[in-house]
Amino acid sequence: MRRLNTLLATVVAMGIVGSALAEDQKPGAKALFNGKNLDGWSYHLVDPNVKMEDVWRVEDGVLICKGAPLGYLVTKDAFKDFCLVVEWRWPAGKEAGNSGVLLRISGEPIGFMPRCVEAQLKHGSAGDIWAFRGFSLTGPEDRLRKVENHKELGTFVGVGKLKAAEKEQGEWNRYVIKLVGDKITVEVNGEKLSEATGLDAVAGPIGLQSEGGEIHFRKVELLPLDAK
């Protein structure tokens, strides 16, 4: 009887653990941020005298970016086709700033923004898509945007979001970004907000920007492309 009770307890415990894994670790998922440290990441800052730990730190499972100086945290691995989940918030009680999820980063760093396509994180603009440093992008004419002769970024193009879907400051938001071949689609908090085509189909690292405001991340995770 004792052996049976022990076996039953083990089965129950395994069931509980299995449920927890089903919630947080979907089959085939790959956590780029492990909630503990910045293993697997490197960085680029416009001030070469500033260290990574001066800008980014991990507290209670949350990655906190101070926002200055300008630059980005970047994965050591490169990725081409993927579904990426990023959960972020702008902390309550502080001025919300700017940031972005940088994708298919290619070439050497240039200033604070590399050649890449970006899923915008600027407060009030999440869901916008931008392409920098000559990265190719096209989209619906009614939402296609072009900025010329920017002092630091030159000319760049993008696609504006359909509507606002961000939550209030202090609340967590969820990005789902899917890149396949030359196409990108983005969702914010379950709402499909924009898509673009004509992207350069190249593999590159993924980055998280430091761009002028404290921002928090609690999940940066790759899912299988067929994930719902």
Side-chain angles (χ1 to χ4, degrees):
M1 180 64 73
R2 182 178 299 172
R3 290 179 62 189
L4 178 59
N5 289 339
T6 301
L7 178 60
L8 288 172
T10 302
V11 170
V12 170
M14 288 178 65
I16 293 172
V17 172
S19 297
L21 289 175
E23 286 291 321
D24 299 326
Q25 300 177 11
K26 298 177 179 64
K30 176 182 175 65
L32 300 182
F33 169 54
N34 63 20
K36 301 175 183 179
N37 52 48
L38 291 174
D39 287 356
W41 295 81
S42 185
Y43 72 104
H44 169 73
L45 293 167
V46 293
D47 186 345
N49 298 313
V50 179
K51 299 178 181 178
M52 181 165 65
E53 56 268 28
D54 296 331
V55 180
W56 295 278
R57 68 185 189 276
V58 179
E59 292 183 2
D60 300 323
V62 175
L63 171 59
I64 299 173
C65 174
K66 186 172 70 173
L70 298 176
Y72 50 92
L73 199 64
V74 60
T75 60
K76 294 179 180 178
D77 293 334
F79 308 92
K80 181 181 176 184
D81 293 348
F82 54 84
C83 180
L84 177 69
V85 175
V86 176
E87 294 183 355
W88 86 96
R89 70 181 175 191
W90 294 101
K94 297 188 177 183
E95 183 176 355
N98 201 348
S99 184
V101 183
L102 310 183
L103 310 158
R104 291 184 177 174
I105 296 172
S106 54
E108 294 298 316
I110 306 172
F112 73 92
M113 179 66 74
R115 187 175 187 275
C116 67
V117 60
E118 177 198 49
Q120 179 66 269
L121 282 177
K122 182 179 180 180
H123 184 58
S125 298
D128 289 350
I129 301 169
W130 291 101
F132 297 98
R133 308 291 188 194
F135 202 98
S136 178
L137 176 147
T138 60
E141 289 189 6
D142 60 331
R143 289 188 290 121
L144 196 62
R145 301 174 177 179
K146 185 175 184 180
V147 177
E148 296 182 323
N149 302 318
H150 187 277
K151 183 175 67 172
E152 295 175 321
L153 298 174
T155 297
F156 53 96
V157 296
V159 175
K161 65 184 184 300
L162 286 168
K163 60 181 179 179
E166 288 179 70
K167 296 182 180 179
E168 297 293 326
Q169 272 190 252
E171 297 185 43
W172 287 102
N173 296 279
R174 181 181 176 89
Y175 239 143
V176 178
I177 306 163
K178 184 173 287 189
L179 274 83
V180 180
D182 74 339
K183 183 177 180 179
I184 181 172
T185 59
V186 300
E187 295 180 3
V188 175
N189 297 323
E191 300 279 351
K192 182 178 177 181
L193 296 189
S194 57
E195 62 183 16
T197 57
L199 275 65
D200 296 331
V202 296
I206 292 169
L208 302 173
Q209 270 192 296
S210 170
E211 197 180 358
E214 183 177 313
I215 187 171
H216 299 174
F217 300 92
R218 68 177 179 184
K219 178 176 286 190
V220 186
E221 180 181 71
L222 292 174
L223 299 181
L225 280 170
D226 58 357
K228 300 297 183 183

